[in-house]
Structures are given as C-alpha cells and as structure tokens.
Amino acid sequence: MRNFPLVDPKSKFDVAVLGWWYGKNYGSILTYYGLNRAIESLGHSVLMVHEPLGYNGFRVRWPKDILSMEFARRTGYEYTDQLHFKNLGQLNNLAQTFVVGSDQLWNPLIGRVNDDLFLDFVAPERNRVAYGTSFGNRGTDKFKPDFVEKHSQNLQKFKAISVRENYAVNTAKDIFGVKADLVVDPVFLLEKEHYNELASKATISPEGQYMAVFFLDPTPEKKSTALAILEKTGLEKILVICNPDEGREAAEEIWADEPRAEIIASDAPENFLRGYKDSSYVVTDSFHGTAFSVIFEKPFSSIYNNMRGADRFKNLLSSLGFGDTRRVYESDTQESVNANANVTTDIDFTKARDYITTGRKNSLQWLKAALDPSVKSTAALDNGKAVAAAESASKGQTLDLDFAANSDVWSIDKGAEGVTLSVGKDKELRGKHVWTNLPEPLTPGAKKRIKIQWAPTTQTKNINVHLRNPDSGSFRVIGKAEVAANAGNVRTDEFEFSVAEPGLSQIMLGALHFTGPEAGVQVHEISIADAKATATANAAAQKSSEDIVEGFSKQARRLANHDVEQQVRSFTRGRSADSVTGIRARMFFHAHAIEKGLTHSNFRPGFGRVAIPGLAKEMNAWLSRGLGTDDTIVQSSASVMKAYFARNEETNTDVSHFRNLFSAQALEVIANGQLGEGGAFPASQEREVPVETPNDERAFMDVVYGRRSVREFTDTPVDDSAIATAVQIAMQSPSVCSRQGARVHQFDDPEIIKQLLEVQGGFFGFNAPPRLLLVTADLDAFLFAPERNQPFVDGGLFMMSLLLGLTQMELGSCLLNTAMGVEKEQKIRNIVDLPENEVFIAFVAVGNYDQDVLVPRSKRVEADSILKRHG
C-alpha cells in the first residue's frame, strides 16, 4: 500500500477522487467505494485524496485507525496523506483527471465545504469532473452572491458535471451557469453480487429471521415505530445496526430495555452489509440505509430524516418507483402502523430494479466519456460565461403551467398560447382550487416576486393569488389583482411577498374569484424570481414589509422555526466527532463537572462516574487526531485531572479504573500538567493576573455608574490593544459549565462599518464610529436542547462585562441591538464573513470621546419596582 504524505513524481494515476470517503459513516464509505470500483472497472487507476487541512475548524486531522481508513486499507485503496490546502497543487503531478464524488460537497450550509471541493487547485491542462455531486436540499436562497460568484467560475472550468437529484440540474444551470446531467448514486453503480461478496467477509453471522434497524439519529419515538412494525410483521427479533459515527452508546441506551433487540457486535461496512443481506425487513432513517434496502431487495420502511435532508429521500424513492408508499413516521403508533397497508413484507421491486439497471448502464456510459481524455467537452454554458444564467436568475424561472384541480368545476385546456382555465356555471365554487407547481418549494423568510401574464374573465372585482402546500392542502394569499368586470384582456401582474412557512410549492387560484359568463382565465406565462431589495429613506422609522404582510404571530413563528433549524444544525455539528468546537465544549463540560466535585467541603473520594469517562473520551479523541497539546482547554483539563488524582491519592482512594480510561498520550499530558490551571482553589485567590488598565485604582462603582451610551466620537485614533484588554476583562464573565461561547468580531473599515450600521438601523443621524464590534455566541459550544436560551444568557453576561471593560479602558461605547428578522441578519452575513453557527448578541460602537459630549439621561427606575421578595 502506497501512501503519499508528499508528492512522489514517480507515481502516476489516471484519476484522483476528492470527497468524504474517510468519514465514519456507512453511506459515505460505500458511496465512494462504489465510485472507486466503478472507475477501476473502466480501466483507470485511482488515487483517493484525503481531506486537506488548513481551511477552518471543520477540517481536522483524521485518526488512521478509524473504521473508514481500516476499510480503505482492506480494500486496497491508494490514498494520500492529509496535505495542507496550499500544497494541493502538487497533486497535478500525480493525476490527469480530478473527480469530486457524490455527497453534499457543494452545500454551502456545511462547514467543511471549501474551495478544494470545487477543484480550484487543478491545473488548466487537467480535466475536472463531478460525479453525482449534491447541492443539498431544494432551495437556492442558501447560495449567497460571493459563493455563487466564486464557484461559478470554478464549475465552469469542469469538463463534465453530473448530479444525483432531479432539481439539482436546474440549480446548476440557473445559479452557476453550468450544464449538469442526472446520474444514479454511486452505490447503484455496482451489482448486488459485489456487495454480497463484501458481506461474506463480515465478522458477524446473524441467525434466524429478524428485522434490521439502522438509525443514524435514534430516538425513543423511532424505536416505538420500529417495534410497532415488528409486531405487525410477526418477526421475533431485531438486529440493531449502530451509526458508526459515535452512535453505539446512543443505540445501547435506547435499546437497553428491549429483550428482542440485539445490538450488532462491531462496526464495519462488511457487517453493515451482512446485517442487511440476511434480514427479513429493514427500518431506517438513513438515505443510504434506504438505498441498500432496495439493492438487497428487502421489504423496508423509511423514516425521512429531516435533519439530514428529507428531499433526498423523496427524490430517491420517487426515482425507484415507490413514491411515499414506504414512508413511516416517528409519530406512528401501533394503530397507525397496523392501518398502513404499505407496512408489509409483500413488496414489488420491479420498477426499482429497472431504474437501477438502466441508471447503472447510462451512468457508467456518462462516466466513461467524462474520464476519457480523448473526449472533449465543457460543462460551461455560453462558452464559459454565466451571462444567460445570470439573466435568467434575475428575470426568474418560468413555470411549466401543468395545472391540476381538486374539482371538475375547472376545465383545463393547454394550447400553444398557454393554458385556458374555465369555471363551470351554476356550481358551488367555494373550496374548488386549481394549481401548478413552482420549480421548488420556497424557503421560509425568502422574499420572492411572482409575475403572471394572463387574461382573466370574471365579474368579481379582485382575484386572489395563493401559495399552496400540496402535502397539507393549506394555502396562503400572496396578493390581489384588481380586474374590471369581464375584462378578458391580456395583462401582467406582479406580486411581491415574504414566504411565511415551509412546504409552499404551488401557485393556486380559487374558483370563487371567477364568476359570470365565460368565467375563467387564459394563463400565458408565470415566472418567479427573488424580490429586489429597496432602500428606505429612514429604515429606523419604516416597518419592514414582512411585518406588514405577515403580522406578529406569523413572523414570530417563522423566526422561531429559523432559530430551531439553526440550533439543530449546530447541535448536530457540535455533537459530531469531527467538530473541534464540539470536542472543546465537551471537554469543558466534563472538566467543569469534576472541578465542581473538587470544591465540595465534604469531599467524596472516587466521584466522577459520568464526567471522567466523558473527559477521557474527548481528550483521547483530541490527541489521537494530532491536535495541539498546548491548547488552553486541553491544558486546563489535564490540570483538573492532575488535581483529581492528587486529591484521591491523599485519601488513599484507588481510582486506577479512571486512570486506565486515558490513553498513554493523555496520561503524559496530565502528568506534565500545571497544578492550578484547573481544579479548585480558595475564593480569595486570583484566577488570572488582572490586566493592566489606564487607571487601575478606579473604583468599581465609578466604572458601573460611569458607563454611558456614547454616539459621537472624536478623531483621536483608537488603540486596538485597549479593545483587546476590554475583551480580556469580559472573559471573566460566567458561562454555562465555563464553556465560554462568546465571540467578538471587530470591524475597522469605514465602508464596512457604514454598511453594517445601515442594516442595523439604530445609528442614523450620527457619524459612523471608528470601530464597530459584533458580539456573537457560538451555538456549537452548547450541547443539549434545554440549553436553547443559554447562548443569549452567556452572550448577555459577556456583553455587559465588555461594556464595563471598555469603560475601564476609557473608551466610549454604545450598545446597538440585533433584534432583527432573518433577512436583516442575512444581509449582515452577506457583508461580512460570519460563521453560520454564531448567533448575534449585539453590536457595539466604540471610539474615543469628549467628556462633555451629550448622552441620553436614561433615568433608571427604583429598585423596589424590580426586586420582588418572596418569603
């Protein structure tokens, strides 16, 4: 096995593959296995490129002993070491063609998506190919202007691009100006016999008839659904296949009290396949878990995993000919499962088999041409320019006008000039609707503009235009067209609106608005585009259109949904074994629990049954990835454990069982740790040496009562070190389990400051300050759902301390709130590069000021009106 920590000029490969083949996820592992073997079957040598380092905290050094790397060695991959991204250009000496594989490699919402996955390092004379690459779920609002500008240029350099979801074909064309072909997921490129052979190498051998359960994100509700299906199918036992990405502990906890459940003995792709191959039924919340149910032709039920992209399930099962017939829900009961005729072992795989067979043949032909150096092609539209795509995006996407109705009161006649929709006479019109599909479901909070060219004929004065949710049948009015009685003339109406809720994917009309002789409408064209933002003369005084259109309750619900989705994404990322921020947060959490135990006056020798195994796990994971031992959290955790071991030694308590949980490297770090950096100490002692300030003798009361909201600043240059000192002072603020999730972004560029304040809207009439700070809280630092408010609690505590720190440093400051909707927040993120996992706490204007400058009096109320004593 060759491994290339540096470029070896003697080694040459036909194809180099980039993607997440090294991830601890069966879907990723087997996806790239399928792609690797398919490329080899076409006669090409393959080099797998390991994840480059250096982009951000999501890019980490992977251990060499994880199951994905062990599988890579077992199956004979040639692969590189983890290079720094600046050295990727050296790979041009190794391979002729570079391929980005299947996975959500082009989804901007995923932190580890970076320029390398758009092959920015590939030399012009080399070929660039994408096989089955995904943009993630439907929706284009996630593609921000800078992302589109940069990666349109990258993608237009590709020789050939293919995607695995139908809607991604339009995304590639309309957003990035490139042609994309539809191919099957790489797991379908191999025959079932290939997976049977892999399964034969498993270390497990399940016996009897059983139901395989593979949950990526197990919950008690999913378990209940699986047990209800077990009862209905009459099977006697369950084989639980764990999520190999830190999922065994969760599976053991959830299935501990179920005697019919056996947890798979060990994690390996071969064992996963064997568990599927020998099963009688499969229940899964995994996209690729669903795919392998079909490959092995096992009766199955699929819980669409909203956290990982429900659209992917819908697209897959629609392509396979099942639609939603195999879908079950976490909320299902025994009664609902029994009533579901599709929960059955009798399942017809004919359409699925045809789709896979045909898709495999066509996709391999596509791949063969894409990898053939003698075949010349380009994915770029308009000779490498995205002019047409950009114009199309600004004008909007045109709908297909394939109307359907829920009543025969409507007659639909499609002709060369459009579609004629006629309403029958003398019939009940209420509740009779007709609709056509939008190109994709709309994202809540997005601002859109729909343009309709039509000729309505009606005696009513107004026609309401609606958005409809096809799943629930519910609808929302987005605008009203005023018409003259029996007009019948061609006209164009535009409707701008803010999307109020998820699931809206159809334009709908109601028969109630079409009355009189020859009632109806001829629709020539409907298009949808992003609404253009309009500047306001006084943003502070003018209510936003979303406030007017939606009303308080709808807007509040939409913002709450947005916040929940943001927290779920960060929770998932933070809990991932790949997340550096997550590991640090978990180390903080466990180390702080041990510190609290060390503070007990009535010390309990040998405590730490939960916290110490947790800390050992995180320290071992950190060190096994080659992350720095000089990290403050690692050193503090080491000091905590050193204090713990010393304290128990004083009481002659044997805690060797805890010591044995730490790796040899971790024990060395603990042994070399500095006592006092963590643990417990007298309250009278200083935690850190106080920073020096201009007036160290200044009384606390003078600082607190001397803080003012200053909005006018002098031209005296700001000493940035004074701001840094104020931040250090603010670091003394308490935070949950000492996780210190607050972050501060400082802006110095006058133009950037001006743009940010225009969006914030609370500084009108004053000159821009010389410095602007934005305090945020990193959601990745919070580990549990009940901590939903903690980012703002911790952020608020830090914010107050920062203001006092600035006052102590004799700088003027003014707090500027970030109480804003989704759109304003996104505008700020478009101006400056801020991580998606950080929520806004507040802006702070900062500068030097004249002591005589006027400030608001802001009289405080009496303490008795605030303090409520409870006997």
Side-chain angles (χ1 to χ4, degrees):
M1 180 67 52
R2 291 198 301 269
N3 184 263
F4 301 100
L6 296 172
V7 173
D8 182 351
K10 298 178 183 178
S11 303
K12 300 295 180 184
F13 296 87
D14 299 323
V15 178
V17 175
L18 284 81
W20 296 330
W21 55 272
Y22 38 77
K24 295 193 298 182
N25 177 291
Y26 290 138
S28 294
I29 293 170
L30 292 170
T31 286
Y32 286 96
Y33 177 77
L35 183 59
N36 178 287
R37 290 303 187 251
I39 295 174
E40 286 188 345
S41 73
L42 296 172
H44 300 290
S45 56
V46 185
L47 174 67
M48 307 297 283
V49 179
H50 210 328
E51 180 168 69
L53 299 170
Y55 283 106
N56 56 31
F58 294 99
R59 296 295 185 95
V60 299
R61 187 165 293 283
W62 291 79
K64 291 182 168 58
D65 59 352
I66 55 176
L67 84 165
S68 55
M69 298 307 296
E70 291 172 346
F71 179 76
R73 290 188 286 272
R74 284 198 301 274
T75 51
Y77 284 0
E78 303 278 11
Y79 60 89
T80 71
D81 198 357
Q82 291 187 261
L83 304 172
H84 192 280
F85 74 85
K86 292 181 180 178
N87 297 323
L88 285 175
Q90 300 175 31
L91 296 177
N92 287 293
N93 298 321
L94 290 179
Q96 175 64 35
T97 298
F98 290 81
V99 175
V100 283
S102 176
D103 222 324
Q104 298 184 59
L105 305 183
W106 293 342
N107 184 348
L109 300 181
I110 296 178
R112 63 184 338 108
V113 170
N114 278 294
D115 298 353
D116 58 315
L117 297 175
F118 294 86
L119 302 183
D120 69 323
F121 63 91
V122 175
E125 66 273 13
R126 300 291 186 245
N127 291 321
R128 312 177 194 204
V129 173
Y131 183 87
T133 315
S134 176
F135 294 102
N137 272 358
R138 292 178 185 269
T140 57
D141 292 331
K142 59 192 171 190
F143 301 116
K144 305 311 173 190
D146 56 342
F147 185 90
V148 173
E149 181 179 2
K150 177 194 292 185
H151 296 309
S152 291
Q153 297 177 40
N154 285 327
L155 293 180
Q156 288 159 28
K157 296 175 183 177
F158 274 59
K159 173 185 177 180
I161 293 174
S162 61
V163 292
R164 68 187 188 192
E165 290 103 4
N166 291 303
Y167 51 81
V169 173
N170 287 332
T171 300
K173 174 173 63 72
D174 297 334
I175 304 301
F176 297 97
V178 293
K179 174 181 180 292
D181 297 297
L182 188 65
V183 294
V184 296
D185 189 283
V187 297
F188 296 127
L189 292 176
L190 303 184
E191 301 274 358
K192 179 172 67 174
E193 287 69 25
H194 201 116
Y195 295 117
N196 284 335
E197 182 181 350
L198 266 183
S200 69
K201 299 175 183 177
T203 60
I204 63 167
S205 52
E207 297 179 354
Q209 293 190 325
Y210 62 87
M211 184 171 78
V213 174
F214 177 48
F215 289 151
L216 290 177
D217 304 292
T219 64
E221 292 77 15
K222 291 178 184 177
K223 170 189 172 183
S224 296
T225 299
L227 291 176
I229 295 172
L230 185 75
E231 293 291 339
K232 182 173 183 181
T233 58
L235 296 171
E236 295 182 355
K237 61 180 181 179
I238 290 174
L239 178 67
V240 177
I241 302 174
C242 305
N243 178 359
D245 190 6
E246 310 294 334
R248 181 167 290 274
E249 184 178 344
E252 290 174 345
E253 180 180 346
I254 285 190
W255 293 98
D257 61 348
E258 178 48 60
R260 293 170 291 180
E262 174 189 348
I263 296 179
I264 196 168
S266 60
D267 301 329
E270 296 91 340
N271 291 351
F272 166 81
L273 294 171
R274 183 64 179 270
Y276 264 65
K277 176 180 176 293
D278 293 348
S279 68
S280 300
Y281 201 98
V282 174
V283 181
T284 184
D285 69 347
S286 160
F287 173 88
H288 283 104
T290 300
F292 277 101
S293 302
V294 180
I295 288 172
F296 284 111
E297 297 194 1
K298 299 295 180 180
F300 70 97
S301 293
S302 182
I303 299 174
Y304 294 4
N305 196 322
N306 291 311
M307 190 164 61
R308 297 174 185 260
D311 283 338
R312 301 163 63 215
F313 288 77
K314 292 181 179 181
N315 188 80
L316 173 67
L317 290 170
S318 175
S319 299
L320 292 166
F322 294 112
D324 282 336
T325 60
R326 307 311 302 177
R327 184 176 189 177
V328 292
Y329 298 84
E330 287 187 65
S331 58
D332 272 335
T333 62
Q334 188 68 62
E335 184 179 7
S336 64
V337 166
N338 289 343
N340 186 345
N342 293 312
V343 177
T344 173
T345 56
D346 183 18
I347 178 172
D348 184 1
F349 285 98
T350 303
K351 291 182 179 179
R353 198 179 302 126
D354 291 343
Y355 167 80
I356 293 173
T357 302
T358 303
R360 178 187 300 124
K361 177 182 177 183
N362 294 339
S363 298
L364 285 172
Q365 288 177 347
W366 183 94
L367 189 59
K368 181 179 180 179
L371 299 180
D372 186 345
S374 67
V375 176
K376 304 301 180 184
S377 63
T378 177
L381 298 175
D382 192 23
N383 295 322
K385 298 178 181 178
V387 176
E391 290 179 352
S392 173
S394 64
K395 293 178 180 178
Q397 294 175 268
T398 302
L399 278 61
D400 289 337
L401 302 184
D402 291 326
F403 279 91
N406 64 355
S407 168
D408 61 3
V409 72
W410 289 98
S411 63
I412 303 170
D413 183 18
K414 191 170 185 178
E417 298 298 318
V419 177
T420 300
L421 307 174
S422 303
V423 178
K425 298 179 181 179
D426 304 324
K427 293 186 177 181
E428 173 58 43
L429 301 181
R430 189 175 299 276
K432 307 303 192 302
H433 304 142
V434 65
W435 58 80
T436 188
N437 290 323
L438 294 167
E440 58 189 21
L442 301 178
T443 303
K447 285 289 189 64
K448 294 292 183 180
R449 182 183 75 254
I450 284 178
K451 182 186 293 186
I452 306 179
Q453 185 184 56
W454 55 351
T457 302
T458 180
Q459 290 186 342
T460 59
K461 294 182 179 179
N462 302 301
I463 300 173
N464 284 350
V465 178
H466 311 77
L467 293 178
R468 182 176 184 270
N469 184 325
D471 293 331
S472 65
S474 62
F475 51 89
R476 298 288 180 268
V477 176
I478 60 168
K480 177 171 60 177
E482 297 182 1
V483 294
N486 293 319
N489 298 318
V490 177
R491 53 185 284 169
T492 299
D493 289 291
E494 293 190 19
F495 308 92
E496 288 200 5
F497 58 94
S498 180
V499 182
E501 60 189 56
L504 300 172
S505 63
Q506 296 173 335
I507 296 289
M508 189 197 87
L509 301 172
L512 194 64
H513 298 283
F514 295 91
T515 59
E518 300 181 357
V521 58
Q522 186 176 43
V523 182
H524 297 285
E525 184 177 286
I526 303 178
S527 63
I528 183 167
D530 293 332
K532 295 181 180 178
T534 56
T536 58
N538 189 346
Q542 185 172 352
K543 292 178 76 67
S544 68
S545 61
E546 67 182 32
D547 293 339
I548 298 170
V549 174
E550 294 177 30
F552 176 83
S553 63
K554 289 183 180 179
Q555 187 189 14
R557 186 178 296 111
R558 179 172 63 80
L559 290 172
N561 289 337
H562 166 78
D563 293 345
V564 167
E565 291 171 2
Q566 187 179 30
Q567 285 188 316
V568 167
R569 285 195 299 272
S570 285
F571 173 81
T572 304
R573 183 169 50 243
R575 297 283 291 191
S576 167
D578 308 336
S579 169
V580 172
T581 304
I583 296 176
R584 296 175 95 243
R586 294 190 292 271
M587 271 196 282
F588 256 138
F589 175 75
H590 296 303
H592 189 62
I594 299 165
E595 283 187 318
K596 288 187 289 186
L598 291 171
T599 66
H600 276 291
S601 300
N602 184 19
F603 179 69
R604 295 179 296 108
F607 77 90
R609 183 175 58 86
V610 175
I612 294 177
L615 180 58
K617 176 182 176 182
E618 302 306 335
M619 285 189 71
N620 293 344
W622 180 278
L623 296 171
S624 69
R625 294 180 186 185
L627 300 172
T629 59
D630 57 350
D631 181 85
T632 301
I633 289 85
V634 175
Q635 286 297 318
S636 176
S637 299
S639 180
V640 169
M641 286 311 303
K642 189 167 187 174
Y644 175 86
F645 289 139
R647 188 73 183 275
N648 280 282
E649 188 175 345
E650 292 172 4
T651 61
N652 295 318
T653 304
D654 181 12
V655 290
S656 58
H657 56 293
F658 285 151
R659 187 183 293 273
N660 293 336
L661 296 175
F662 292 87
S663 67
Q665 188 180 7
L667 288 174
E668 182 180 356
V669 175
I670 292 170
N672 294 328
Q674 184 176 345
L675 280 173
E677 287 295 303
F681 73 137
S684 60
Q685 289 188 9
E686 293 178 342
R687 179 168 45 214
E688 285 97 21
V689 177
V691 295
E692 294 184 4
T693 65
N695 187 356
D696 287 339
E697 303 303 319
R698 192 175 186 184
F700 171 75
M701 297 296 283
D702 291 339
V703 175
V704 173
Y705 277 82
R707 187 200 66 78
R708 298 286 182 265
S709 292
V710 177
R711 291 174 172 83
E712 291 186 345
F713 301 96
T714 66
D715 294 332
T716 305
V718 175
D719 181 0
D720 288 328
S721 66
I723 295 178
T725 300
V727 172
Q728 189 62 50
I729 293 171
M731 291 300 296
Q732 304 309 306
S733 308
S735 62
V736 61
C737 295
S738 192
R739 275 179 254 158
Q740 301 169 58
R743 306 286 183 262
V744 183
H745 300 269
Q746 178 177 324
F747 306 107
D748 308 336
D749 187 320
E751 182 58 32
I752 294 295
I753 292 174
K754 178 175 177 291
Q755 292 179 35
L756 292 172
L757 290 177
E758 284 177 352
V759 177
Q760 192 275 336
F763 215 71
F764 285 103
F766 296 94
N767 293 330
R771 296 289 185 270
L772 185 66
L773 307 180
L774 174 59
V775 178
T776 66
D778 187 348
L779 292 176
D780 287 2
F782 303 91
L783 304 175
F784 311 104
E787 293 180 334
R788 65 194 189 281
N789 297 323
Q790 205 64 43
F792 302 99
V793 174
D794 286 11
L797 290 167
F798 181 92
M799 178 88 260
M800 187 66 244
S801 298
L802 177 61
L803 293 173
L804 295 178
L806 292 167
T807 301
Q808 175 66 22
M809 296 306 295
E810 300 180 352
L811 288 170
S813 64
C814 182
L815 187 68
L816 303 169
N817 75 68
T818 54
M820 55 185 61
V822 176
E823 291 180 340
K824 272 193 174 185
E825 178 183 320
Q826 192 55 58
K827 286 180 181 178
I828 289 171
R829 293 186 187 276
N830 290 343
I831 295 170
V832 290
D833 184 18
L834 299 169
E836 189 268 345
N837 49 289
E838 293 184 22
V839 292
F840 300 170
I841 304 300
F843 282 104
V844 187
V846 179
N848 291 295
Y849 67 105
D850 188 323
Q851 292 288 335
D852 293 328
V853 69
L854 295 178
V855 297
R857 177 72 174 81
S858 302
K859 173 69 176 175
R860 275 20 181 186
V861 299
E862 297 78 10
D864 288 346
S865 66
I866 303 298
L867 175 63
K868 304 297 180 184
R869 294 186 174 89
H870 301 271

